[in-house]
């Protein structure tokens, strides 16, 4: 089983839609959780940190379920500019080492 | 200043060349990282420096040699690379070992 698993993409949604991405992690000792977005041929950029039961930032909501070892990202009112790959990232607590999921590609269309 | 810078942006080198990638941050972060990313794959960790000391080497071949001259700078020295080493090389830094901030990367092509 992979350490961090994400929904396979791509997700193709119209502008204005709500879309949710899921991520599961295998190490129950994991302490910190993040969502990064990566545009084509660019570096990953931190979108949200998820430290407790979840948090919200504008149109983006991240949820954490420690019992099920599950993280989600909800994007409301999708914009064309949200088109990117979304990476689920987990810190297992091992000396600053982050483990990346394979990413989920989102394409928002007119 | 909240950014990580990397030079060069692009690099083409032959298998017998020696080159270096450079990374710089002025955010006071004490952890710095090198990652390698191939197309359509997530970043793969190569090295971690914590307080200027190498703390993690993910079994990277010796043709890649990291160096941390001071708390703001991180270098990756390249020698005798193979074509399969062609990739995007990303540097990142972190204050606490949690949120990491990435530079724009160096796109490396080995001929």
């Amino acid at each position: 089983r992979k350490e961090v698993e994400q929904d396979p993409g791509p997700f193709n949604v119209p502008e204005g839609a709500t879309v949710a991405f899921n991520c599961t992690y295998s190490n129950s000792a994991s302490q910190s959780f993040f969502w990064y977005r990566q545009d084509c041929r660019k570096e990953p950029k931190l979108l949200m940190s998820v430290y407790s039961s979840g948090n919200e930032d504008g149109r983006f909501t991240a949820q954490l379920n420690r019992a099920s070892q599950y993280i989600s990202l909800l994007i409301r009112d999708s914009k064309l500019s949200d088109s990117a790959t979304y990476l689920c990232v987990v810190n297992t607590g091992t000396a600053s080492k982050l483990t990346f999921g394979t990413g989920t590609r989102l394409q928002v269309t007119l | 200043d909240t950014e990580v810078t990397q030079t060069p942006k692009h690099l083409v080198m032959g298998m017998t060349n020696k080159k270096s990638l450079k990374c710089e941050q002025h955010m006071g972060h004490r952890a710095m990282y090198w990652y390698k990313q191939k197309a359509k794959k997530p970043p793969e960790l190569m090295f971690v420096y914590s307080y200027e000391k190498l703390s993690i080497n993910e079994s990277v071949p010796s043709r890649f040699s990291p160096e941390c001259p001071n708390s703001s700078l991180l270098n990756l020295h390249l020698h005798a690379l193979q074509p399969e080493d062609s990739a995007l090389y990303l540097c990142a830094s972190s204050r606490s070992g949690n949120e990491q901030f990435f530079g724009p990367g160096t796109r490396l092509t080995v001929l």
Side-chain angles (χ1 to χ4, degrees):
Chain A
R1 182 184 174 187
K2 289 182 182 176
E3 288 189 70
V4 180
E5 292 200 68
Q6 293 187 241
D7 279 349
F11 282 58
N12 295 296
V13 303
E15 258 194 315
T18 295
V19 61
F21 304 139
N22 302 319
C23 173
T24 57
Y25 59 95
S26 60
N27 189 335
S28 60
S30 299
Q31 298 293 317
S32 307
F33 310 89
F34 311 94
W35 285 101
Y36 281 74
R37 73 168 275 167
Q38 186 170 24
D39 293 280
C40 188
R41 299 180 71 80
K42 299 284 189 181
E43 74 274 22
K45 291 187 191 285
L46 180 65
L47 180 65
M48 298 181 79
S49 302
V50 188
Y51 283 107
S52 55
S53 60
N55 51 306
E56 184 174 318
D57 183 3
R59 297 183 294 108
F60 299 85
T61 301
Q63 293 286 334
L64 169 64
N65 184 320
R66 286 189 184 272
S68 302
Q69 296 181 203
Y70 170 96
I71 311 152
S72 65
L73 177 68
L74 183 77
I75 305 176
R76 289 180 297 278
D77 189 22
S78 298
K79 311 289 185 193
L80 293 173
S81 57
D82 294 333
S83 299
T85 295
Y86 290 82
L87 295 160
C88 175
V89 183
V90 175
N91 184 333
T92 59
T94 305
S96 308
K97 184 174 173 180
L98 297 185
T99 301
F100 287 75
T102 53
T104 301
R105 178 92 179 96
L106 172 66
Q107 183 67 51
V108 181
T109 57
L110 287 170
Chain B
D1 187 356
T2 57
E3 66 172 8
V4 178
T5 59
Q6 289 187 243
T7 55
K9 288 187 178 179
H10 301 275
L11 178 62
V12 180
M13 60 187 291
M15 289 189 283
T16 58
N17 292 157
K18 285 185 181 181
K19 296 286 184 183
S20 296
L21 310 185
K22 296 185 183 303
C23 174
E24 190 167 2
Q25 58 88 13
H26 294 287
M27 295 179 278
H29 291 175
R30 291 309 192 181
M32 295 186 76
Y33 311 78
W34 280 116
Y35 288 85
K36 172 182 176 180
Q37 187 175 25
K38 301 282 262 184
K40 300 188 189 302
K41 299 286 188 184
E44 295 174 33
L45 182 66
M46 299 174 72
F47 303 104
V48 180
Y49 273 82
S50 181
Y51 291 89
E52 302 168 44
K53 293 195 185 311
L54 183 64
S55 59
I56 296 178
N57 175 342
E58 291 285 280
S59 302
V60 178
S62 60
R63 57 186 184 268
F64 295 92
S65 175
E67 178 196 18
C68 188
N70 61 54
S71 60
S72 300
L73 292 173
L74 187 65
N75 298 323
L76 186 63
H77 303 298
L78 314 172
H79 174 54
L81 295 194
Q82 304 297 309
E84 59 266 29
D85 296 321
S86 299
L88 179 67
Y89 288 83
L90 293 159
C91 174
S93 71
S94 173
R95 181 179 303 282
S96 61
N98 277 318
E99 291 100 341
Q100 293 182 16
F101 297 90
F102 286 82
T106 293
R107 193 160 296 279
L108 175 68
T109 303
V110 182
L111 301 175

